[in-house]
Amino acid sequence: MTLSNQSTHINNIIRNISIEKSLFWVTAALMLVAILYPASMAIRAAFFENDIFTLAGFERILQLDTIVSDIWNTLIFSAGSMFGATVIGVSLAWVNARTDVPGVKAIEVFCVIPFFLSAFVGAIAWRLLFVPNAGMISMFLTKYGFPEFLLPDIYSLGSMVFIQSVFYSPFMYLYAVASFRQMDPTLEEIARIHGAGNWNTLRKITLSVNGPALLSGMILVFVMSVGTLEVPMALGSAGGNYVLSTRIWALMNNMPQDVTAASALGMIAIFIAAIGIIIQRRLLGNRKFTTVTGKGYKSKKISLGRWKWVVFTLAITYIIFAVIMPIVTLILVALQKFWTGSFSMQFFTWANFTTVLFEYDVTARAIKNSLFACSVAATISVIFALILSQIRSRNAEAFMGMLVLLPIVIPGAVFGMMVLFAFVKTPIYNTIFIIIFAYVIAYFYLAYRTIYSVRLSIHPELEQSARIHGASWFQSTRRILTPLLKPGIVSAWLMSFILFIREFSSVMFLYRHGTEVMPVVFFMLMERHSARLAAFMVIQTAILLLIMIIYQRFTSKNATGAAF
Amino acid sequence: MSAFLKVENLSKRYGNHQAIDNVSFEIEEKNLFVLLGPSGCGKTTTLRCIGGLEKPDTGIISIKNETISNNEDQIFVAAEKRGMGMVAQSYAIWPHMSVFENIAFPLRMSKFDKNLLANRVEEALDMVQLKGLGTRNATDLSGGQQQRVALARAIVGRPKLLLFDEPLSNLDAKLREQMRYLLKEIQTEIGITAVYVTHDQSEAMGLGDELIVMNNGKIEQSDQARSLYNNPKTKFVGEFIGTANMIEGHIIQRESNSCKITLKNKKSEQIIKARLSRHTESEQGVLLFRPEWISIQKGIKDKQENSIDGVVRTYQYLGDRSELIIETEFADIKASVTDDEEYIVGDKVVIKINENKAIVF
């Protein structure tokens, strides 16, 4: 190779690097605009009417006689669910990660299923069990003399908190279990040796060391609960317990529509979420515990002794509440001509399934729409994540870390409204692409983190040597990086797809006639036809479980890091 | 005087693996006692049984005649009730606490007088030469400093017994040596009894008042460093401690403490006189001698007693001594000599083995 040849070769590399860089920054800027533009439109909607600055929206919501109770309910619901989910999720994580409870592997799989089921499906199933006079359990109990006034009120705020806690606990579980597994068990053992009993070790060491991870999970559950429409719509609205998200939805969808007031309420919801985040930051300070791990001893599981079966029973109880009972209930209801509160062979029918699959055009269309929108959105997410996880520079990585977290702090219902405002005057407004847009932006952190973590584990020299040996940036990305990233790509795609399919809160603002996705149809069927609703939910659950099985098969073969 | 710590017939099994197999030993008060052996020999499990982190299958552990673990009587005092201190291989510094809080932890757990607590912690910090670092974030310290914090934390509560689980193996060589001196100094200064687990024989010999060499869950030999080196009781100990040359042969003449062994190959044979280890009964034997248990003479001499002819293959001059590898008919022999003779590769030499030191197993 001559000298000039070599220098053009080096020039090529430099030019390629700048292509790589500009591609990164262009995509990152696009993402940023895609987040900030809707947000700015929502702020504008809250403070402007007919292009004139006004506080009328805030004035109008202050005049609502429900405003205090809406805010109060939101606080109770979100904080209550956060603590409930933490207690359930952290306990299950501790049991699975650190104790010798029997059947850990099976319990582990079941612990994350409730999250994929979606809280809306769970809430509907529980409603079918406990609805006054027609609930399967409530009828069964009253039949055998259980006093009616002792039955739980499924529409109450307490029930909402309980069900939200059960179905959002997998989030806490995933955060906590990863953190517990990473912790050096010697940290606990040394505490024991120096005089700390079980309780002190758990409190002062285990929970404190894992505190930052647990706090991150908690704040996520809090913000998600502030913005969710799932449980508040399935249970709250019927019981008259409105929260901010359901009130925003009502203001946007009831006549007369009040966009300004809805946006103003959205600002309040963001404010509540922000307070949560500020409290978390305060508690966290600048502590970011890098766990020092020894190379010696493998994690020793705590022997539960005779408590083993008690703990096992508790874990199984959770699984029954969160997985088995909802699914069984939905299947039973789906197989009935109409739902009377108990299953009888007399009314057995497959018709609900055939109706929602083939006859009823909205449901059939929704399945198609969901599969299309979720596949396209998952593919876009993965491509963007691939581009954005390419760059290895401190600034770029810090910027990305912040960028992907931005949408997470916006409550889901408010986010849906924002996206609506951003596109309301464009042709996209009436298409399914507005939903695809929302999917990609809302859950982008997941695809990004999954691919980024795999990317981190690939040594840069692998690509550098490809480049030195004459491959262009595009060639080395295609031939070296992409195959190595394949496990990350597949799991990011599947995980995104699962989350998109079950996304409820934001799409409730974005569908039009013809662009309904599956969760929207749940809502439409909710008050009309329990049996068809159940059948449709069973179909969605089946799709989700199928993908989950593929996902678990895949990730167990290719040990990729979890994205949470 | 009866022993301070007594371990009797301790056994522990994990599935099919016998981690400790009927181990017994005693430790005198204020001694530093080393458990030495290759990884997987059961030394760490033994330590963890003493600390209460592991429950033995059988056996009795007692401190000052007070039983803390006895399976037959169903006694198992919990780790936190044994009043011990421990330094772990991974430092195990709690990342959410300051240096001060890390060290104060054992005192807080034992409800130590709050007015005296700060003084006590400062005193411990001073002892490990980290004075003034109490307010620092524990994880901001270097590895060596973290290990000092771990040491301060282990001694601050004046525990009955101090446990060390390979405390220096994560440090680099220079720090390791520094810490070794500091550790020994502190242990003698506060007069504490300690059990120290390591796989590093120089660390073990430098620190231990008394050593146990373990292998496959069993005790091979319990002795002082000097005896382990000079009078290994098993082939394993001879090989594990220090460097050893080993040549197989045939024992031909036995006396109470010595024997003659024939080293054979196709061409020739050589009779060597050496000490006889009591354990050997079969005709097959192994001659073991250390590199400095021989002397070397240049040139071909007439056949001498206890000598082997050889050719220098490598020669390294190290200042205080020279190290050679000498090729002989029976084996390549490592030699370490302090004479000032200069050797050239290819030199013919005669190796004379010291019959009062070499051992046949």
Side-chain angles (χ1 to χ4, degrees):
Chain A
M1 198 189 275
T2 66
L3 200 67
S4 70
N5 242 340
Q6 203 163 6
S7 74
T8 48
H9 182 56
I10 289 165
N11 276 340
N12 272 336
I13 291 179
I14 291 166
R15 201 175 316 133
N16 283 335
I17 286 170
S18 64
I19 288 173
E20 182 183 12
K21 260 199 181 138
S22 39
L23 189 59
F24 170 85
W25 286 111
V26 167
T27 318
L30 250 162
M31 287 291 295
L32 189 65
V33 171
I35 297 161
L36 291 186
Y37 180 66
S40 68
M41 292 306 280
I43 295 169
R44 201 184 142 75
F47 291 101
F48 287 87
E49 267 178 346
N50 305 321
D51 290 333
I52 299 160
F53 178 82
T54 175
L55 290 174
F58 288 93
E59 279 166 25
R60 287 206 292 280
I61 56 170
L62 285 177
Q63 279 157 13
L64 292 174
D65 25 320
T66 53
I67 183 70
V68 175
S69 72
D70 287 353
I71 293 176
W72 181 245
N73 284 348
T74 305
L75 287 175
I76 297 287
F77 175 69
S78 308
S81 308
M82 175 180 80
F83 285 116
T86 304
V87 170
I88 300 172
V90 174
S91 317
L92 283 171
W94 185 76
V95 166
N96 284 352
R98 306 286 294 116
T99 73
D100 62 345
V101 72
V104 162
K105 283 221 171 109
I107 295 176
E108 279 227 89
V109 174
F110 278 103
C111 279
V112 286
I113 289 181
F115 179 66
F116 300 117
L117 283 184
S118 110
F120 190 79
V121 174
I124 292 292
W126 273 79
R127 191 172 145 170
L128 289 165
L129 288 172
F130 275 104
V131 73
N133 305 320
M136 208 167 6
I137 291 182
S138 49
M139 274 180 62
F140 177 81
L141 286 177
T142 41
K143 197 169 146 195
Y144 291 98
F146 191 81
E148 217 163 308
F149 64 91
L150 278 179
L151 283 173
D153 175 7
I154 193 67
Y155 297 125
S156 69
L157 198 56
S159 301
M160 285 167 67
V161 170
F162 176 76
I163 288 171
Q164 179 80 357
S165 301
V166 166
F167 286 90
Y168 275 71
S169 60
F171 248 101
M172 284 311 298
Y173 172 81
L174 289 168
Y175 265 87
V177 86
S179 189
F180 285 158
R181 290 223 162 102
Q182 272 166 19
M183 188 182 68
D184 178 2
T186 327
L187 293 177
E188 291 171 339
E189 290 175 354
I190 288 291
R192 304 287 305 262
I193 291 274
H194 291 119
N198 278 330
W199 170 239
N200 272 334
T201 307
L202 183 68
R203 195 168 58 99
K204 296 201 165 168
I205 308 297
T206 317
L207 292 181
S208 303
V209 170
N210 295 296
L214 301 185
L215 266 175
S216 308
M218 284 172 80
I219 199 63
L220 207 60
V221 173
F222 180 78
V223 175
M224 286 193 297
S225 300
V226 170
T228 186
L229 283 175
E230 297 166 315
V231 173
M233 257 187 182
L235 303 176
S237 305
N241 292 311
Y242 275 80
V243 290
L244 288 177
S245 59
T246 37
R247 186 69 68 194
I248 291 170
W249 194 83
L251 284 169
M252 289 294 288
N253 288 277
N254 293 351
M255 289 298 151
Q257 188 191 40
D258 191 340
V259 174
T260 321
S263 310
L265 218 48
M267 295 302 122
I268 293 176
I270 290 180
F271 182 69
I272 291 175
I275 288 176
I277 291 164
I278 289 165
I279 293 174
Q280 180 222 19
R281 289 286 128 126
R282 275 282 161 82
L283 288 174
L284 213 55
N286 52 3
R287 291 182 301 171
K288 219 185 160 200
F289 306 151
T290 37
T291 25
V292 199
T293 44
K295 31 187 171 172
Y297 222 77
K298 61 183 183 299
S299 168
K300 186 182 172 280
K301 298 215 160 180
I302 292 160
S303 172
L304 289 171
R306 72 191 102 156
W307 288 93
K308 204 155 136 179
W309 295 104
V310 177
V311 170
F312 178 76
T313 312
L314 285 175
I316 294 298
T317 310
Y318 170 76
I319 291 168
I320 290 172
F321 272 38
V323 182
I324 313 278
M325 254 164 49
I327 293 179
V328 170
T329 309
L330 291 175
I331 291 172
L332 290 181
V333 175
L335 293 174
Q336 294 283 279
K337 213 178 217 162
F338 40 83
W339 183 242
T340 55
S342 59
F343 185 82
S344 78
M345 277 318 282
Q346 195 188 336
F347 298 125
F348 180 87
T349 177
W350 292 104
N352 293 315
F353 285 101
T354 51
T355 310
V356 292
L357 278 174
F358 308 113
E359 290 157 25
Y360 194 28
D361 63 333
V362 185
T363 47
R365 190 166 64 221
I367 296 175
K368 253 184 266 159
N369 282 342
S370 268
L371 293 179
F372 172 74
C374 297
S375 316
V376 173
T379 309
I380 294 174
S381 298
V382 166
I383 291 171
F384 274 36
L386 267 175
I387 294 171
L388 291 175
S389 58
Q390 287 290 311
I391 284 251
R392 286 179 195 259
S393 90
R394 221 168 250 271
N395 282 338
E397 284 171 51
F399 176 74
M400 279 312 299
M402 191 204 66
L403 182 67
V404 296
L405 283 176
L406 265 179
I408 300 177
V409 304
I410 304 170
V414 182
F415 180 73
M417 187 171 65
M418 283 178 174
V419 174
L420 177 68
F421 291 153
F423 290 106
V424 74
K425 284 174 185 158
T426 68
I428 295 172
Y429 173 58
N430 266 323
T431 66
I432 197 154
F433 289 98
I434 193 171
I435 292 175
I436 293 176
F437 178 88
Y439 284 160
V440 172
I441 301 299
Y443 289 109
F444 183 66
Y445 69 98
L446 195 104
Y448 175 74
R449 292 241 182 115
T450 308
I451 292 179
Y452 178 69
S453 67
V454 181
R455 166 97 174 115
L456 273 187
S457 64
I458 299 170
H459 202 279
E461 279 172 6
L462 294 177
E463 289 158 79
Q464 280 162 10
S465 63
R467 300 288 289 274
I468 296 294
H469 290 106
S472 69
W473 169 76
F474 180 75
Q475 283 171 319
S476 93
T477 303
R478 191 171 68 91
R479 310 193 80 135
I480 309 293
L481 197 59
T482 315
L484 290 172
L485 281 174
K486 205 179 137 210
I489 292 173
V490 175
S491 62
W493 196 94
L494 290 172
M495 185 54 97
S496 300
F497 188 88
I498 291 169
L499 286 179
F500 296 160
I501 281 227
R502 52 169 286 291
E503 168 60 17
F504 181 85
S505 307
S506 58
V507 296
M508 283 300 291
F509 288 87
L510 300 174
Y511 75 92
R512 294 285 152 255
H513 180 76
T515 66
E516 302 92 343
V517 285
M518 293 173 81
V520 172
V521 179
F522 292 165
F523 173 72
M524 293 171 155
L525 286 172
M526 184 169 77
E527 305 296 353
R528 286 189 219 154
H529 204 304
S530 317
R532 277 187 199 159
L533 172 63
F536 201 44
M537 284 181 160
V538 170
I539 290 168
Q540 184 194 297
T541 307
I543 296 175
L544 282 173
L545 288 180
L546 188 73
I547 298 166
M548 242 194 80
I549 290 166
I550 297 173
Y551 177 80
Q552 293 220 338
R553 276 278 161 85
F554 187 80
T555 45
S556 61
K557 247 187 276 167
N558 307 273
T560 54
F564 290 96
Chain B
M1 198 174 102
S2 80
F4 180 77
L5 173 76
K6 221 168 162 180
V7 173
E8 296 163 75
N9 309 106
L10 198 69
S11 289
K12 173 86 187 169
R13 166 185 278 281
Y14 296 112
N16 285 326
H17 173 62
Q18 188 76 41
I20 333 175
D21 193 357
N22 204 22
V23 162
S24 306
F25 57 86
E26 291 181 359
I27 304 176
E28 298 296 330
E29 193 160 10
K30 297 186 183 178
N31 267 4
L32 195 150
F33 187 87
V34 175
L35 294 170
L36 174 66
S39 65
C41 72
K43 58 192 191 301
T44 297
T45 311
T46 307
L47 185 85
R48 291 170 64 85
C49 285
I50 296 171
L53 297 172
E54 213 76 55
K55 201 171 179 175
D57 296 338
T58 58
I60 302 169
I61 304 172
S62 55
I63 292 186
K64 280 188 166 170
N65 292 326
E66 192 185 317
T67 306
I68 52 172
S69 178
N70 181 349
N71 285 61
E72 269 172 37
D73 296 344
Q74 301 220 326
I75 297 170
F76 184 75
V77 179
E80 64 267 24
K81 301 245 161 67
R82 294 191 179 190
M84 297 185 181
M86 182 167 175
V87 181
Q89 183 184 18
S90 64
Y91 322 141
I93 295 299
W94 298 305
H96 60 297
M97 295 179 186
S98 67
V99 168
F100 184 95
E101 280 307 317
N102 260 283
I103 299 174
F105 189 88
L107 297 178
R108 293 200 196 282
M109 287 299 118
S110 64
K111 303 267 178 332
F112 193 78
D113 186 346
K114 284 212 169 91
N115 300 316
L116 303 172
L117 185 133
N119 273 338
R120 226 8 216 288
V121 173
E122 290 302 329
E123 191 187 298
L125 268 171
D126 196 18
M127 235 183 250
V128 297
Q129 297 163 10
L130 287 180
K131 206 168 186 177
L133 290 187
T135 53
R136 291 277 284 278
N137 223 330
T139 41
D140 292 345
L141 301 183
S142 69
Q145 286 174 319
Q146 288 196 23
Q147 197 59 306
R148 281 162 198 248
V149 174
L151 179 59
R153 179 177 61 189
I155 58 172
V156 74
R158 297 284 184 271
K160 280 189 226 159
L161 186 66
L162 204 48
L163 307 175
F164 292 101
D165 184 11
E166 308 223 12
L168 306 184
S169 60
N170 275 358
L171 302 175
D172 63 54
K174 210 168 177 184
L175 263 175
R176 194 153 37 195
E177 201 163 317
Q178 272 178 25
M179 275 298 283
R180 210 157 86 190
Y181 287 115
L182 179 73
L183 215 143
K184 183 74 188 168
E185 207 179 290
I186 291 175
Q187 185 258 334
T188 2
E189 193 182 312
I190 59 177
I192 214 164
T193 319
V195 183
Y196 191 106
V197 160
T198 183
H199 65 267
D200 181 325
Q201 48 112 355
S202 64
E203 201 174 296
M205 291 173 75
L207 282 171
D209 298 307
E210 187 92 10
L211 295 88
I212 276 187
V213 179
M214 285 183 77
N215 185 32
N216 286 329
K218 290 196 179 90
I219 293 180
E220 291 273 339
Q221 187 171 349
S222 170
D223 235 321
Q224 288 175 351
R226 201 171 284 274
S227 304
L228 283 177
Y229 189 80
N230 290 312
N231 308 312
K233 286 197 179 125
T234 65
K235 201 170 82 186
F236 176 83
V237 173
E239 205 181 352
F240 188 74
I241 306 269
T243 315
N245 291 302
M246 300 210 287
I247 308 172
E248 283 181 24
H250 218 69
I251 298 170
I252 48 169
Q253 194 181 327
R254 262 174 218 274
E255 275 157 50
S256 61
N257 282 324
S258 65
C259 69
K260 283 186 175 163
I261 185 166
T262 318
L263 312 179
K264 253 190 205 164
N265 73 357
K266 280 169 201 158
K267 282 183 240 161
S268 59
E269 58 175 61
Q270 182 72 39
I271 296 169
I272 304 284
K273 194 166 180 238
R275 293 185 291 163
L276 178 66
S277 166
R278 272 168 293 164
H279 299 288
T280 316
E281 266 156 33
S282 74
E283 290 287 291
Q284 277 311 110
V286 175
L287 175 71
L288 183 146
F289 54 97
R290 304 209 178 274
E292 67 276 14
W293 290 356
I294 55 182
S295 56
I296 307 175
Q297 287 173 302
K298 259 191 189 178
I300 307 168
K301 301 262 161 65
D302 297 334
K303 274 236 161 165
Q304 289 183 352
E305 274 206 344
N306 264 27
S307 299
I308 308 173
D309 297 338
V311 178
V312 175
R313 213 173 69 190
T314 66
Y315 167 65
Q316 290 180 359
Y317 175 68
L318 298 173
D320 58 336
R321 65 183 192 279
S322 300
E323 287 187 353
L324 303 93
I325 293 177
I326 297 161
E327 208 174 304
T328 71
E329 287 172 328
F330 309 104
D332 288 353
I333 290 170
K334 291 182 219 118
S336 170
V337 288
T338 49
D339 59 22
D340 220 21
E341 193 81 49
E342 195 175 335
Y343 297 90
I344 301 169
V345 173
D347 273 354
K348 299 214 156 129
V349 290
V350 176
I351 302 162
K352 187 168 160 77
I353 298 167
N354 187 336
E355 63 170 75
N356 296 320
K357 293 208 160 180
I359 307 173
V360 170
F361 290 104

